[in-house]
Structures are given as structure tokens and as C-alpha cells.
Amino acid sequence: MPANSVRASKTPTPAANRDHAAAPEDLFESKAAATAVVPQRVADLRFGQVGIGQLKLHSLDPALVFGEVEARVQAAPQLFAMAPVVLDLSALPSPPTLAELNALIASVHGAGLRPVGLAAGDDATAALARAIDWPLFAKFRPERDPTPAIEAIPAAVAEVVAIEPAPAPEPVIVEVPVEARAVGQHHAEPVRSGQRLYARGTDLTVAAMVGHGAEVIADGSIHLYGVLRGRALAGARGDTSARIYCQNFQAELIAIAGQYRVFEEPVAELHGKAVQAWLEGDKLKLAPLS
Amino acid sequence: MTEIIVVTSGKGGVGKTTSSASIAMGLARRGKRVAVIDFDVGLRNLDLIMGCERRVVYDFVNVIQGEASLKQALIKDKRFDSLHVLAASQTRDKDALTKEGVERVLNELKEMNFEYILCDSPAGIEKGAFLAMYFADHAIVVVNPEVSSVRDSDRILGLLSSKTRHAETGEKRISQHLLLTRYNPDRVERGDMMSIADVQEILGLEVLGVVPESESVLAGSNAGNPVILDAASPAGQAYDDAVARLLGDKVPMRFTEAQKKGFLTRLFGG
């Protein structure tokens, strides 16, 4: 996905005074007009997609949150360790106090994620964000669940939801990522335990086996023409349309755009079969290829 | 032309040193000029299994650090004149090895017209194992028919195709061979040991040889006589077959089928 960029100059422009939440299209156009006058480049402000997760908290208990988040991080450390997340407080049983929030932040941090802001919600959340001087992320638009019955479901103490990429505005200055390639990356050697293969900005095709404990990662889709015994992670930078195709499925873990599934036990309908995986909403689906 | 062969596995206790000793012996018995180097600095074993532990004066580390010449440190085997052993140091650790030092020793061995240099790797994937494999042209990965050994071998095969000189320069591929040791066809038949086919399928490689589990291996090691010298032992014959295949001969696999038990052995136990 192409990142959009604008050039900011020292010279104040009308856009420079705008709120961050201004519609990106306006910002781009006025900035572009400004660069025509002052061509020197001081800083590039880019509104592109970055890998950032949303952590919806369902419990105020720091220990519970730590346990749940740590389990997630440990299950897929290459996905989650040090990953930036925005905390969504909308599902908490009650708005947290400043002390409670700090404890939750410390838990999430301690579990391996890196909280970088709060998801904008009600006034209480905005006040908390001001109190700890943290950014508010408006894009998530959380709504407080009207039915408190949801809290009776014990399974979810916290859930990690991958963010849908924002629709790309028509860019004025297009910076095509240098890595973007029309033809995907091809690999013909076996990917052995402990090896990691990453196709940046494109699809990955492996015409050999992927061993236990090996990882194949692509920003696009993954096509495997050997046995997959290790891990396959497609849409590594959040492309939810990425898919995984595999000729002989015996995977330990697969993930698309951050949604993952581990296979502790072989699934009879999939094991050893040709399988594809894709995302429907934030649900990871798998089915035999017929 | 000198071929450098690393004998490695990742996992410990699978039979690297036993295999290094037997393969070196087998190559020498076929008239090849062979040097075998123990890279397991700090846990030196190769000299014991080769039966020359009381003749070690200088070792690999002494040569690397310039305290002795290679000629002084090489121990000539009493059975085969064309076989030489370079022992590891028992008193140092793996940090005593350097890439430059190892390369210098290997180059000196090449100048001495050795046809084969066997590098007996320590277990693990740390410095000693890394240096043992780094300059290799061929790799013999010793694997036991059990899951952890197979997994570690997969890891080592990955390192062989990425962390060696040939992989880094990209000029040629390191040739990889599997040597399956401690194979017990009876236990495979009962289903409590992985079969040759299982191991080959998981690792995606054909085996160079299959050495059956045998009491003569331990007996030979303890006596300082590598099992390949025991013509009556199936393990010794299997090692000799593997050496023949390494040299390009076509030799059928032996000792891979469970023994058919006769009426009397079934009656009285075998």
C-alpha cells in the first residue's frame, strides 16, 4: 500500500495550524501548494499505514491483563513482542482512575507490548489522556457497550484486533515504496528450523518445504509448494486481503494481518491437505483447496 | 585437491565423534590422506575414540595460538600412515578458536596435500560448531531416529546453507549428507522409533548411510578402536558402506530391516 507523504516546511502555512484530526485530503493539498513556494525539505510528515495494534481491555485487574497479554505475546513473539498498541478502554467495567490506568499500562508494557496511546472514547478517556500526556487515536471510534452482560463472558480479558488499513486518499505527492515489486519473491531452497524468510512489500513463493520452527513472512500473500510444518505469516504490514496457500498443510501457526491461529493438535480436515487461509472481517478462515 | 568435511548434528550424544573417527578411518583404509580435527575445545574426546589420547603433546589451540607448529601437533595413526589426528585442548574453551586461526590451519593442511579434512564439530550452534562448519565443502549431519535430534538437524542444515563460507560467497553449494545412527529396525517395526522414511521426509534429504544400534560401537570406542575396524559388526560394515557412498560408489542399504525371528527365538526370546 503506497504511503502518502507531505512535505512540511518551516514557513507557516494555513495547514500548519490545523488540528491533526483534519481530513487528510485538505492537509495534502494545502501542503502541496506550500511546497511549490518553498521547495526546501525540512521534514517529511507521512500519513501511511503503520503496524499498530489495538488492545481492547475488558478487565481492570493488572495481573489478569498481564497474564492474558503475555500469553498472546509468547504465542507469537515475532508478531507481538515490542509491538505498538493503542489501548481501548471502552470495554472496561468502569472508567479507570489515573492509578488504575497507570497499572494497566505497566502490565501491558511488562507483558511485552508497547502502549503508545489511548483510543479516543468518552470525555473520561480524553481527560485521562491529558493527565498522562498521551495521544488520543481518533480512528478507532470505540463505543461503550450498552449491555454489561458481555462482561459475564470470562474468555476475553483482552483482545488484540488488527487495525483495518485506512482508505488511501488520492495522493498529491506519491512516494512509491522502493520495495514494492510486481513479481513476488521466490525461494527454492528448504526453509529450515530457525530460519526466517521475509518478502518485504510483496508476495512470497516457496517451492520447497518449510520446516518445524521455521518462519515464512510476507507483506503480501504466501504460496507454499512444499510441506508447511513451521509458521506462515501473510499481510505482515496489515494487508487484510493477503492469503496463504499451501500444498501440504501441517503448520504450527498461521497469521494474516496480525490475526493468528496456533495448531496445537493437527486438524483432521486440514492436516496434510492443500489448504488456503484468508481473513473474513477479523476472523481467520481456513479451508481445504478443492 | 582437498575436501573439507564437517561432521555435525546440533544435538549432543548422537554419535558425531564416533562417526568422525570411523569415517576418517574408513577413508584412510581406502588409501586417502586424511586429517581429522577435534573442534570440541574443552571437551576433547576424539583422541580417546581414536586411541591416541596418550600421544597428545600439542593440540589445535596451541597451533592456532602459534605455540606449536602443525607438524608437531598432528598425531599419526598407528594403524594407517595416511591418517592424522589434531586433538582439541582440554584446558581451554571455545573462545580460543578464531576464524582466522582455523582458516590458517586448514590452509596449512591443504598445503600438506591432505585429500580429506574432517572437522568433528561440538554439539550446539555456538562458536565451536560454527567454526567447524564454516569452511566446509561437505557436511555429514549425524541424526538419531528421534524427534529432537531430527529437529536439531533441520536447524543445522539451515545454518549450513546460510552461515558457511560457501553460502556467504555464493560460489558453490555445500553438499549435505544425512547419517542416521543408532537405528533399531525392530523398534521401528514396533512403531516406537522413527523410520528412515520419516526422517528423510521431514528433512527433505536422502540418507548417506544408516548405522544400526550396536553394542560393538561402545566397545570399540572404549578400546580406542573405531567400530569401522570391526569387520564382524553390522555398525562397522554400515560405516564402511557410508564411506563408499561418500566416495561416489553405489552401495545398497543394509541392516535396515527387522530380523525375521525364527521359531525358537520367538519361543525363548531373542
Side-chain angles (χ1 to χ4, degrees):
Chain A
M1 166 171 172
N4 307 302
S5 112
V6 283
R7 291 173 185 172
S9 69
K10 270 181 185 164
T11 318
T13 67
N17 298 326
R18 289 194 191 206
D19 192 354
H20 283 300
E25 289 88 349
D26 300 344
L27 204 57
F28 288 129
E29 280 178 9
S30 42
K31 284 287 181 184
T35 41
V37 185
V38 186
Q40 90 214 75
R41 219 168 139 129
V42 179
D44 283 349
L45 180 61
R46 292 158 64 111
F47 289 86
Q49 187 197 348
V50 290
I52 187 164
Q54 180 184 11
L55 185 67
K56 194 180 227 177
L57 297 170
H58 295 262
S59 167
L60 281 169
D61 183 339
L64 275 179
V65 168
F66 177 84
E68 171 76 17
V69 175
E70 192 189 37
R72 298 274 181 146
V73 173
Q74 289 310 317
Q78 77 289 355
L79 271 180
F80 294 138
M82 301 291 286
V85 288
V86 169
L87 301 183
D88 181 351
L89 309 178
S90 63
L92 287 172
S94 62
T97 64
L98 189 55
E100 282 171 331
L101 178 65
N102 279 326
L104 286 172
I105 291 168
S107 287
V108 174
H109 193 275
L113 294 176
R114 291 293 172 264
V116 293
L118 299 182
D122 47 22
D123 293 345
T125 306
L128 283 168
R130 267 195 302 279
I132 58 173
D133 195 21
W134 270 29
L136 268 179
F137 286 74
K139 198 177 129 203
F140 296 99
R141 280 184 228 99
E143 65 272 10
R144 194 165 268 283
D145 200 319
T147 51
I150 196 98
E151 282 147 30
I153 300 168
V157 176
E159 56 185 300
V160 178
V161 184
I163 297 165
E164 299 253 328
E170 204 58 51
V172 179
I173 303 164
V174 184
E175 281 197 356
V176 179
V178 283
E179 315 91 20
R181 281 168 283 172
V183 177
Q185 186 171 322
H186 179 258
H187 191 83
E189 298 288 307
V191 188
R192 302 279 183 187
S193 186
Q195 287 187 317
R196 184 185 261 190
L197 210 58
Y198 176 37
R200 188 186 296 277
T202 188
D203 283 8
L204 175 64
T205 306
V206 180
M209 52 168 262
V210 178
H212 292 285
E215 276 178 17
V216 287
I217 309 168
D219 291 340
S221 295
I222 296 178
H223 312 264
L224 302 170
Y225 294 97
V227 187
L228 170 63
R229 296 193 181 90
R231 303 171 163 203
L233 300 93
R237 281 194 287 184
D239 190 338
T240 51
S241 65
R243 288 182 178 231
I244 297 170
Y245 302 90
C246 162
Q247 195 145 64
N248 185 335
F249 183 87
Q250 302 178 23
E252 292 167 349
L253 177 149
I254 61 161
I256 297 175
Q259 298 296 327
Y260 71 95
R261 188 163 158 198
V262 288
F263 298 89
E264 209 169 318
E265 298 293 331
V267 181
E269 308 85 76
L270 303 173
H271 193 81
K273 302 218 166 77
V275 165
Q276 72 161 321
W278 70 99
L279 272 187
E280 263 180 42
D282 57 6
K283 278 227 158 55
L284 184 58
K285 301 265 187 178
L286 289 112
L289 279 164
S290 46
Chain B
M1 184 61 202
T2 310
E3 307 277 357
I4 303 177
I5 304 172
V6 60
V7 180
T8 184
S9 72
K11 195 175 185 307
V14 296
K16 283 182 296 297
T17 303
T18 305
S19 298
S20 297
S22 274
I23 292 167
M25 210 54 93
L27 287 167
R29 190 159 66 183
R30 284 176 158 74
K32 307 290 182 193
R33 284 180 54 79
V34 183
V36 53
I37 308 176
D38 190 350
F39 274 76
D40 204 348
V41 176
L43 293 167
R44 114 186 180 206
N45 284 159
L46 180 68
D47 49 318
L48 284 171
I49 293 177
M50 300 284 286
C52 62
E53 77 277 9
R54 304 184 77 83
R55 296 164 61 209
V56 177
V57 180
Y58 295 110
D59 57 48
F60 191 22
V61 172
N62 293 137
V63 179
I64 282 182
Q65 300 190 337
E67 297 153 358
S69 73
L70 186 56
K71 281 210 172 70
Q72 286 174 302
L74 281 175
I75 304 163
K76 191 200 268 188
D77 186 79
K78 286 193 166 163
R79 292 150 288 203
F80 300 105
D81 284 351
S82 63
L83 174 59
H84 289 74
V85 179
L86 185 53
S89 168
Q90 184 73 345
T91 51
R92 313 289 183 88
D93 60 37
K94 265 100 184 156
D95 291 331
L97 298 177
T98 61
K99 206 188 224 177
E100 297 71 28
V102 171
E103 186 173 26
R104 207 188 67 234
V105 172
L106 292 173
N107 285 338
E108 261 188 77
L109 288 168
K110 283 183 186 176
E111 283 162 23
M112 293 165 83
N113 291 318
F114 279 103
E115 290 164 278
Y116 292 94
I117 303 172
L118 261 76
C119 303
D120 178 23
S121 171
I125 52 175
E126 279 76 44
K127 195 172 185 185
F130 165 72
L131 289 174
M133 73 168 68
Y134 186 75
F135 297 99
D137 304 303
H138 309 271
I140 296 175
V141 176
V142 182
V143 58
N144 287 170
E146 47 106 5
V147 284
S148 58
S149 174
V150 172
R151 180 72 58 93
D152 290 0
S153 298
D154 195 33
R155 179 92 169 93
I156 283 290
L157 287 164
L159 295 176
L160 284 166
S161 55
S162 59
K163 300 274 189 231
T164 52
R165 182 173 56 174
H166 285 321
E168 284 175 10
T169 58
E171 60 190 37
K172 82 178 218 199
R173 281 181 49 107
I174 181 164
S175 68
Q176 304 172 343
H177 310 278
L178 280 186
L179 184 63
L180 189 56
T181 59
R182 296 211 171 138
Y183 194 71
N184 186 331
D186 294 317
R187 293 183 64 191
V188 172
E189 196 157 84
R190 288 203 301 271
D192 56 0
M193 186 180 265
M194 293 171 85
S195 70
I196 302 171
D198 291 340
V199 176
Q200 291 187 148
E201 204 225 311
I202 290 176
L203 296 177
L205 278 179
E206 299 280 304
V207 294
L208 175 75
V210 178
V211 180
E213 201 170 37
S214 164
E215 288 171 8
S216 53
V217 175
L218 182 62
S221 293
N222 286 340
N225 289 316
V227 70
I228 197 167
L229 299 176
D230 183 351
S233 160
Q237 296 172 44
Y239 271 121
D240 201 56
D241 289 354
V243 170
R245 290 187 201 106
L246 193 63
L247 294 173
D249 293 351
K250 293 257 182 293
V251 183
M253 288 287 170
R254 293 192 276 174
F255 320 114
T256 56
E257 300 295 326
Q259 293 291 314
K260 292 277 179 292
K261 286 195 173 144
F263 173 72
L264 285 175
T265 39
R266 246 184 289 168
L267 206 61
F268 298 110

